[in-house]
Amino acid sequence: MEYSSLLLENAVGALARLPGIGNKTALRLALHLLKEDALETEQIADALLKMRRNIVLCERCHNISDTKICSICSNPRRDENTLCVVADMRDVLAIEHTASYNGLYHVLGGVISPIEGVSPNDLRIAELVERTKKEDIKEIILALPATIEGDTTNFYIYRQLGDFKGKVTVIAKGIAVGDTLEYVDEITLGRAIQNRRKFD
Amino acid sequence: MEYSSLLLENAVGALARLPGIGNKTALRLALHLLKEDALETEQIADALLKMRRNIVLCERCHNISDTKICSICSNPRRDENTLCVVADMRDVLAIEHTASYNGLYHVLGGVISPIEGVSPNDLRIAELVERTKKEDIKEIILALPATIEGDTTNFYIYRQLGDFKGKVTVIAKGIAVGDTLEYVDEITLGRAIQNRRKFD
């Protein structure tokens, strides 16, 4: 195959290195950019470069941020007494998207996983313990994945928080909203029955 | 939803303007770039900018090119006596991909379509006629889409080529390789029977 343009070939090759973008999609995107005004390409390249060059991790919650302290941590309208512990910055976005939470976050950077070689020291657990001493936190919500690794990490954090005087809670596990019982897996359904709560 | 980073939000917004890329995919791509080495982002941005700023149309075949005359037109090993007329630069890539063609191309820039307001004057048909006078072309292969618009354009070009002494051919229409007859639509199958050729 002769591309007739090395510039196009390079652009397609660069785009196709992105996850989930194959050669055909990359070609479609490149041809789209060629068809559109040049400003479009300039804006995309500029936005990507600015993001990659300037984004840092918030020094307080370790979420991605444009400034030393992120906009969530520095927002005076957020509840500073509640801290939600998540594995990944993606989880912050997911929780923000629910519009059900108004406290602060603490991004661990993963969960304990011996198989993938992630030990507690690779995560920001010590920083979390440190925050409980410095900040006026009344509740820590553990919002880690509902996996064995997530449970292990929950347990490890709980032990590390021995001196913490506030509440430690964990997000509810159960059947999803809209689920019909027959299609729910038996472990989830069993847990949902065990963890039943007063109807109110 | 609070993104916690305006830079990320801008990058996601820019990527999501690309066709077929939604907000979720754009976010996934942006987070991928943040996780990877910064060089990755620099390379992608650089490849896109270089492509958009420097690509031109080949003055001879009107295909996209890095230089005034594209690499296909200037390749001395290609057959200069055969010219394949296509609607779009994408078609050049598709034909090159077959590795069945070694001649030159002429990119029309579309097909005649009264509905979409594309008249013969919007296409590079006059340039094609001009080429038949200047260049030593022995065969013109019409490889336009197998649609009514494509057929109309074929017919229009054929009439415009009145003085052309060489052969004018059209690519074969018929059942696709691998097709079982029962699933082929009746128009295609009917045409395939009409256009049957000697078995050899």
Side-chain angles (χ1 to χ4, degrees):
Chain A
M1 174 151 163
E2 202 170 323
Y3 252 109
S4 91
S5 164
L6 200 62
L7 293 170
L8 175 66
E9 199 172 345
N10 288 341
V12 170
L15 287 171
R17 280 208 303 274
L18 290 169
I21 308 273
N23 266 321
K24 286 214 166 176
T25 307
L27 178 61
R28 191 163 50 78
L29 296 178
L31 292 178
H32 168 84
L33 291 175
L34 283 176
K35 210 179 60 186
E36 295 291 311
D37 195 273
L39 190 66
E40 180 84 8
T41 310
E42 304 278 341
Q43 281 174 348
I44 291 174
D46 186 55
L48 293 181
L49 288 173
K50 276 201 180 130
M51 173 190 78
R52 191 61 188 84
R53 286 172 183 165
N54 301 322
I55 272 189
V56 291
L57 288 186
C58 170
E59 289 181 357
R60 193 170 173 196
C61 71
H62 309 284
N63 187 15
I64 44 171
S65 170
D66 300 349
T67 44
K68 277 190 166 188
I69 300 297
C70 79
S71 60
I72 294 179
C73 284
S74 59
N75 185 343
R77 290 195 301 194
R78 296 196 74 120
D79 171 14
E80 297 222 315
N81 302 127
T82 314
L83 199 62
C84 182
V85 178
V86 294
D88 195 280
M89 53 178 128
R90 257 166 268 226
D91 304 329
V92 174
L93 292 172
I95 293 175
E96 284 299 293
H97 202 53
T98 66
S100 306
Y101 180 68
N102 194 38
L104 302 184
Y105 291 95
H106 188 85
V107 180
L108 288 182
V111 284
I112 298 169
S113 168
I115 293 171
E116 293 183 20
V118 182
S119 82
N121 293 333
D122 299 323
L123 307 175
R124 298 185 199 98
I125 296 175
E127 287 88 337
L128 172 64
V129 175
E130 200 59 32
R131 283 184 77 177
T132 62
K133 288 172 186 163
K134 281 189 198 157
E135 298 177 28
D136 183 24
I137 299 164
K138 296 202 166 62
E139 178 176 0
I140 292 178
I141 303 171
L142 299 173
L144 299 180
T147 58
I148 294 175
E149 289 83 3
D151 288 344
T152 308
T153 313
N154 276 343
F155 189 66
Y156 183 87
I157 291 175
Y158 185 73
R159 280 202 317 190
Q160 295 293 310
L161 288 174
D163 296 335
F164 177 60
K165 296 282 174 287
K167 248 197 309 188
V168 179
T169 55
V170 64
I171 55 168
K173 283 160 200 157
I175 67 171
V177 175
D179 269 1
T180 48
L181 263 56
E182 58 179 328
Y183 296 121
V184 178
D185 70 283
E186 60 269 27
I187 298 176
T188 301
L189 188 54
R191 284 262 222 139
I193 293 172
Q194 284 167 22
N195 299 336
R196 67 193 177 277
R197 62 188 200 89
K198 197 166 173 302
F199 187 77
D200 50 11
Chain B
M1 176 152 159
E2 202 169 325
Y3 252 111
S4 92
S5 164
L6 199 63
L7 294 168
L8 175 66
E9 199 172 345
N10 289 342
V12 170
L15 287 171
R17 281 207 304 275
L18 291 169
I21 307 274
N23 267 321
K24 285 215 169 177
T25 308
L27 177 62
R28 192 163 49 78
L29 296 179
L31 292 177
H32 168 83
L33 290 176
L34 283 176
K35 210 180 60 185
E36 295 291 310
D37 196 273
L39 190 66
E40 180 84 7
T41 311
E42 303 279 341
Q43 282 174 348
I44 291 174
D46 186 56
L48 293 181
L49 288 173
K50 276 200 179 133
M51 173 191 77
R52 191 62 189 82
R53 286 173 184 165
N54 301 323
I55 272 188
V56 291
L57 289 186
C58 170
E59 289 181 358
R60 194 171 174 195
C61 72
H62 309 283
N63 188 13
I64 45 171
S65 171
D66 300 348
T67 44
K68 279 187 164 192
I69 301 298
C70 79
S71 59
I72 295 178
C73 284
S74 59
N75 184 343
R77 290 194 301 195
R78 296 196 74 119
D79 171 14
E80 297 223 314
N81 303 127
T82 315
L83 199 62
C84 182
V85 178
V86 293
D88 195 281
M89 54 178 125
R90 257 165 269 223
D91 304 330
V92 174
L93 292 172
I95 293 175
E96 284 298 294
H97 201 54
T98 67
S100 307
Y101 180 68
N102 194 37
L104 302 184
Y105 291 94
H106 188 84
V107 180
L108 289 181
V111 286
I112 298 169
S113 168
I115 293 171
E116 293 184 20
V118 182
S119 83
N121 294 333
D122 299 322
L123 306 175
R124 300 187 199 97
I125 295 175
E127 287 89 336
L128 172 64
V129 175
E130 201 58 33
R131 283 184 77 176
T132 62
K133 288 171 186 161
K134 281 189 197 157
E135 299 176 28
D136 183 23
I137 299 163
K138 297 201 165 64
E139 179 176 0
I140 292 178
I141 303 172
L142 300 173
L144 298 180
T147 58
I148 295 176
E149 289 83 3
D151 288 346
T152 309
T153 313
N154 277 342
F155 189 66
Y156 183 88
I157 291 173
Y158 185 74
R159 281 199 319 188
Q160 296 293 309
L161 288 174
D163 296 335
F164 177 61
K165 296 283 175 286
K167 250 197 307 187
V168 179
T169 56
V170 63
I171 55 168
K173 282 159 201 156
I175 66 171
V177 176
D179 268 359
T180 49
L181 263 57
E182 57 178 328
Y183 295 120
V184 177
D185 69 285
E186 60 271 25
I187 300 176
T188 302
L189 188 54
R191 285 262 222 138
I193 293 171
Q194 284 166 25
N195 298 337
R196 65 193 179 277
R197 62 187 202 88
K198 196 168 174 302
F199 186 78
D200 54 8

